[in-house]
Every structure is written in C-alpha cells, then in structure tokens.
Amino acid sequence: MRIRGRLKGRPEIAQAPMSDVAFLLLIFFLSTTIFDFEVGIPMVLPGVQSTRERVEREDVLEIATAADGTITIDGLPALLDSVEETVRARLNARPELTVFLVTHPSVPYRRMVELLDEVRAARARRIMLKLGEG
Amino acid sequence: MRERRRLPRGARIPTASMADIAFLLLIFFLTSTIFRLETGLEVDLPRADSGIGAARTRSAHIWLDRTGELAVDDRIVDLETLEQVLGAKLRASGELIVSLQIDEEVPYEMVDRLIGALRRANIRNVRLGTEEDPAAP
C-alpha cells in the first residue's frame, strides 16, 4: 500500500537564491570574458593569376632597405623619419603613385613594418612588397 | 514657509527588478564570451601606428616565430602543408581573412615565402598583426 504524504500549505519554489546564483554566474562571466579584438595592418594580396599592370616610371617610388638596414628612396639614402614626408610630396604630384617596398632577405620583418607604417601614414594606397636581391 | 514632504511609512527600494537586470547582463556575457583555446606560438609583434582594430571573426591565424616555426591556429605545419590547410579552410568558410602573427625578428625572406604560399592558396585578405606603439600620441 502506498502512503501519500500530504503537502502542508501552498507549495512554493524559493526564488530568493535564484538571483544569488545569477549574480555569481554574472561575476564569473564578467571576469572571464575576453572581447576578441586584435590590431593589424589590412592588406589585399594579388591573386596568382592576376594580370600584370603597366605603370609609368614616374608613378613608381622605390623604397629599398639594404642588408645593414639603411634605407634608400629611388636610390638616394634617406632616414626613416623622412619617408612619410617624401611619399606625401610625391603623392601630391602623382596621385596614382605605386610604392615599391624592396626589402633585403636578411632584414628583420620589423624594419619592413616600420617602413610600411610610414608609407601608410602618408596615405599611399598602392603598395607593393618585393623581396630584394640577397 | 517651507513645506516638508513626508515620506510614506515603510519606504522600500524595489529589489525585484535587480534580478532581471542581472539575468540580462548574464545572457549578454554568456553569448559574447569566447573561451580561447588556441595559444599559438610565442611571438613579439612589431609596433605600428597605422594598425586597425578588428574582430577576430572569420579569420585564421598564422604564427611564425623567430626560430622559423609555423603554426596555423593550433596546428604546427610546414610551408608545403600550409597551402593545403588554408585551402581546406577557405573551402569551408567561403571567405577567409588570414591574420599573420609574425615575430619582428624573423628575416624578411621567410615572410616573403609565407606570403607566396598564401597567394598560391588563393588567400587575398591578409592582416599583418601589429602592436600599438605605447609611445604614440
């Protein structure tokens, strides 16, 4: 024979600890959340089958970094700080300017990014990365 | 003459809505939290001022450390298998942004080879991972 227990009064679900649990979970997620965000220089690479484009010699500015880290702009020695100004001046004269960044194979990547940063600061839009001759 | 307003007896701050707010915030953090599983390789990123912040969605990460070790997301690969791995990722996602986390001391020759492999894998959108320069204004 089954014995039925009688419920006393009105049954209720205790709601008070629910907010405590919610706050505990809230603190956990607040402290563990990482907003996935990163910083970088966006670039669009040319496709493998991209057509070759002809550019006039006057529309090209070649910035080369030698093995010892020295910079030349169109063959003339230059300082990193002067790159932005030079590119800006050339861009004013030739808005379709393409900047060639020629980097020696043994030069650290940091050096190329520094130059790229200067060229981007001058608002050059057509930039080509090229490996120099070792 | 100033009239004083009387406070009603037994004035209370309503606390019932507090739990609602807690739940709303909880749902927000539950949905926005990403537990990052991939650790990648240890790299010192170069500093740049022109870097642009972006969300990490729809992107694959490639690490290249100063010893020349290469990793895609959480997998160590070599340059030859990199093309296959990226090709498979590209087919799966349709559009892929590849974030390059390259150590600043890596010789440019290795970077050039990596970019060449990306081009062969038909990757167009690339982001060169940088760090914000703390000295910049």
Side-chain angles (χ1 to χ4, degrees):
Chain A
M1 201 177 118
R2 274 163 64 196
I3 298 169
R4 272 196 182 178
R6 262 199 200 169
L7 289 167
K8 282 178 189 172
R10 275 190 164 185
E12 267 187 19
I13 298 166
Q15 286 176 351
M18 198 165 68
S19 64
D20 297 343
V21 175
F23 271 109
L24 273 175
L25 285 169
L26 182 61
I27 291 161
F28 169 71
F29 281 103
L30 265 168
S31 53
T32 55
T33 296
I34 304 159
F35 288 102
D36 239 7
F37 210 66
E38 62 183 12
V39 182
I41 300 173
M43 297 208 82
V44 179
L45 299 180
V48 183
Q49 282 127 20
S50 62
T51 51
R52 280 170 187 265
E53 211 179 306
R54 232 171 227 285
V55 279
E56 284 183 45
R57 184 65 197 90
E58 289 77 36
D59 280 336
V60 174
L61 183 71
E62 190 179 282
I63 305 174
T65 314
D68 58 354
T70 51
I71 300 164
T72 51
I73 301 177
D74 276 344
L76 298 168
L79 292 170
L80 182 68
D81 295 335
S82 67
V83 171
E84 185 188 338
E85 207 178 307
T86 312
V87 175
R88 211 181 276 274
R90 283 290 295 272
L91 263 174
N92 284 336
R94 314 283 300 192
E96 289 297 304
L97 187 77
T98 305
V99 180
F100 271 63
L101 284 184
V102 186
T103 314
H104 189 273
S106 65
V107 166
Y109 169 65
R110 180 189 63 235
R111 198 76 181 143
M112 189 281 280
V113 173
E114 280 170 357
L115 265 177
L116 184 62
D117 202 25
E118 294 293 319
V119 173
R120 275 172 56 85
R123 305 221 172 268
R125 299 198 58 197
R126 295 160 66 100
I127 304 166
M128 283 192 72
L129 305 177
K130 207 174 155 191
L131 184 72
E133 281 166 27
Chain B
M1 200 177 117
R2 266 168 64 198
E3 252 180 57
R4 268 199 180 177
R5 280 176 73 196
R6 263 197 201 168
L7 285 168
R9 265 190 203 168
R12 284 170 135 197
I13 298 166
T15 50
S17 53
M18 199 164 69
D20 297 343
I21 295 163
F23 270 108
L24 273 175
L25 285 168
L26 182 61
I27 289 161
F28 168 71
F29 281 104
L30 266 169
T31 49
S32 61
T33 296
I34 298 159
F35 291 102
R36 204 186 289 175
L37 294 172
E38 58 185 51
T39 47
L41 301 172
E42 209 179 310
V43 290
D44 287 328
L45 293 174
R47 293 173 196 278
D49 300 327
S50 63
I52 298 167
R56 290 165 64 107
T57 48
R58 276 192 305 155
S59 55
H61 290 80
I62 296 179
W63 278 272
L64 179 61
D65 72 2
R66 60 183 67 191
T67 61
E69 198 157 43
L70 194 67
V72 181
D73 292 339
D74 51 356
R75 198 173 145 193
I76 305 277
V77 290
D78 53 34
L79 213 56
E80 284 71 43
T81 46
L82 175 77
E83 284 174 45
Q84 296 163 16
V85 173
L86 286 178
K89 277 183 185 284
L90 191 65
R91 279 191 295 278
S93 66
E95 197 193 333
L96 194 66
I97 300 165
V98 175
S99 178
L100 300 179
Q101 312 289 310
I102 305 171
D103 194 286
E104 58 180 15
E105 292 300 330
V106 166
Y108 186 68
E109 189 179 15
M110 282 163 76
V111 180
D112 187 72
R113 265 190 265 154
L114 176 61
I115 292 174
L118 293 177
R119 285 185 62 193
R120 284 193 296 279
N122 242 342
I123 301 291
R124 302 292 305 272
N125 295 309
V126 170
R127 195 164 47 227
L128 304 178
T130 56
E131 262 179 13
E132 274 167 14
D133 198 347

